[in-house]
Amino acid sequence: MSFQDPAGREPEKLYHGFILGLLVHLEGSHEVRSNRESGLGRGDVLVRPRAAGQPGVVLELKVPRKRRGETPEAALAAASRQVRDRRYAEELRDAGAAPVHELVAVFDGKQVWVRTVDEVLGAAGAAP
């Protein structure tokens, strides 16, 4: 039996904590930030290099809203638009991160889908 929130879906925060635990070993070379303000919102996880010229990562996590009929593909698209529209990578680029990887992950029980934002939206899917 899995933990479920009142809406009847796996809570994002469970997966969020799991991902943060996996990234803790990066703290020597990168700052791992969780739900910190960046761009026009709060990205789920930002991995910001401590030295310019090192790679950075934006990671947005989602759980499909099954009660609304949302598919994993639709959740990936929504997460990708959120990353671009809210410009989460802006802080990393301003800090000198290069390259900046924008990733979205959708969790559904034991299944996970991970894509780059470019894969989902295409390279032309940049925010205005």
Side-chain angles (χ1 to χ4, degrees):
M1 183 169 154
S2 61
F3 177 79
Q4 300 215 339
D5 70 6
R9 61 187 165 97
E10 295 286 334
E12 257 178 56
K13 64 184 175 182
L14 175 74
Y15 298 109
H16 193 120
F18 175 71
I19 295 297
L20 289 174
L22 292 175
L23 297 175
V24 72
H25 74 282
L26 294 176
E27 278 295 323
S29 61
H30 290 74
E31 181 181 351
V32 179
R33 305 174 105 197
S34 172
N35 286 318
R36 298 279 301 271
E37 199 167 324
S38 179
L40 301 174
R42 295 180 180 275
D44 284 329
V45 179
L46 295 179
V47 181
R48 178 181 173 172
R50 295 189 186 278
Q54 297 296 310
V57 178
V58 172
L59 181 57
E60 186 64 26
L61 311 174
K62 294 288 180 203
V63 173
R65 295 179 180 146
K66 290 182 180 181
R67 289 180 184 231
R68 295 183 184 176
E70 186 176 44
T71 65
E73 294 79 18
L76 285 166
S80 295
R81 285 189 303 274
Q82 181 177 333
V83 167
R84 288 288 168 82
D85 292 348
R86 296 183 185 173
R87 301 193 301 244
Y88 292 155
E90 191 173 90
E91 174 189 336
L92 300 179
R93 288 189 187 100
D94 289 349
V100 174
H101 304 283
E102 296 171 307
L103 303 172
V104 292
V106 171
F107 297 89
D108 186 8
K110 293 181 181 180
Q111 293 182 298
V112 62
W113 295 261
V114 180
R115 302 281 186 278
T116 68
V117 171
D118 282 346
E119 282 180 283
V120 178
L121 298 180

